[in-house]
Amino acid sequence: MDRVPILKLGDILIVSIQIDLQDMSVLALQEDLSEKVVETGARGVIIDITAVEIVDSFIGRMLATIAAISRMLDAETIVVGMRPAVAITLVELGLSLGGVRTALNLEKGVALLNQIESSQRSTAAW
Amino acid sequence: MDRVPILKLGDILIVSIQIDLQDMSVLALQEDLSEKVVETGARGVIIDITAVEIVDSFIGRMLATIAAISRMLDAETIVVGMRPAVAITLVELGLSLGGVRTALNLEKGVALLNQIESSQRSTAAW
């Protein structure tokens, strides 16, 4: 069973999805990611789907579940690198990513995480 | 043919190798990477091999070639995430990575790149 590697950079975890995710590897990824979030105290998870050519309801649900789990563990999830064709398919199929945030690429994803954190900090100050 | 996605973060390119690289995909990766180095003016390439369980002379040569090409284009290559078993195999087989630098993980790779850059800058100042 292939496991998707999770890279850590500062307090951000980066996952680049390149393989066709099967049920088992998705469960493994969810488990690995949630353990890693707790272990490292990461505040953000960035999932890169540049290599994903086809998004169906299975992948959509997986992304939403990962985001929901991470949120429970106090980490924000950003999906980056979506291909135009994938975005078109998602809209045409009426699939929602269940409140998952997206950004164009890794850099913009990191910027978005920083922005979210600073806005949370200013809210917390109140 | 699967193409390995290349992530950009600042002036660093990050490649996470997860698939079994065949001749064709290695050539594609070398081509994509060198184009991306020129296009972005990246100063560093970090290749993550956390997911690579077996390294043979083919993979070793590929890493050395990518490093040599990047160096021509003025970018340093760091291989990160090598498994202990892979390091043992490399030494036992007498395979050298042809002067490719390694670091334990992505964070240390980024730190090494910053260190190389600052030492180059101080040399240039002379």
Side-chain angles (χ1 to χ4, degrees), chain A residues 8-10 16 18 48 107, chain B residues 7-10 16 18 107:
Chain A
K8 177 177 172 290
L9 194 63
S16 167
Q18 297 173 25
D48 172 71
E107 275 175 342
Chain B
L7 300 173
K8 178 176 172 290
L9 194 63
S16 167
Q18 297 173 24
E107 276 175 342

Side-chain angles (χ1 to χ4, degrees), chain B residues 32-108:
Chain B
D32 291 354
L33 249 183
S34 39
E35 271 170 24
K36 197 99 176 179
V37 166
V38 171
E39 187 189 314
T40 61
R43 65 181 168 91
V45 175
I46 295 184
I47 301 177
D48 171 72
I49 58 168
T50 316
V52 176
E53 286 177 20
I54 298 159
V55 165
D56 52 14
S57 57
F58 175 69
I59 300 267
R61 216 165 35 235
M62 172 204 74
L63 295 173
T65 309
I66 287 180
I69 296 174
S70 305
R71 204 168 298 129
M72 294 268 182
L73 300 170
D74 199 24
E76 204 64 41
T77 304
I78 319 269
V79 170
V80 303
M82 190 181 290
R83 295 176 181 224
V86 167
I88 293 169
T89 312
L90 282 176
V91 171
E92 278 180 353
L93 292 178
L95 291 175
S96 120
L97 285 184
V100 176
R101 283 164 193 254
T102 54
L104 195 62
N105 52 39
L106 181 60
E107 276 175 342
K108 297 199 174 174

Side-chain angles (χ1 to χ4, degrees), chain A residues 19 34 73 75 90 108 118:
Chain A
I19 53 169
S34 40
L73 301 169
L90 282 175
K108 297 198 175 176
S118 66

Side-chain angles (χ1 to χ4, degrees), chain A residues 1-11 14-19 48 50-51 53 80 105-107 110, chain B residues 1-11 14-19 48 50-51 53 80 105-107 110:
Chain A
M1 191 179 63
D2 290 324
R3 290 185 101 91
V4 179
I6 301 168
L7 301 173
K8 177 177 172 290
L9 194 63
D11 44 8
I14 302 169
V15 179
S16 167
I17 294 180
Q18 297 173 25
I19 53 169
D48 172 71
T50 316
E53 286 176 21
V80 303
N105 53 38
L106 180 59
E107 275 175 342
V110 172
Chain B
M1 192 178 65
D2 291 325
R3 291 184 102 92
V4 180
I6 300 169
L7 300 173
K8 178 176 172 290
L9 194 63
D11 45 7
I14 303 169
V15 179
S16 167
I17 294 181
Q18 297 173 24
I19 53 169
D48 171 72
T50 316
E53 286 177 20
V80 303
N105 52 39
L106 181 60
E107 276 175 342
V110 172

Side-chain angles (χ1 to χ4, degrees), chain A residues 64-109:
Chain A
T65 309
I66 287 181
I69 296 173
S70 305
R71 205 168 298 130
M72 294 267 182
L73 301 169
D74 199 24
E76 204 64 39
T77 304
I78 319 269
V79 170
V80 303
M82 191 182 288
R83 296 176 181 225
V86 167
I88 293 170
T89 312
L90 282 175
V91 171
E92 278 181 353
L93 292 178
L95 291 175
S96 119
L97 284 184
V100 176
R101 282 165 193 254
T102 53
L104 195 61
N105 53 38
L106 180 59
E107 275 175 342
K108 297 198 175 176

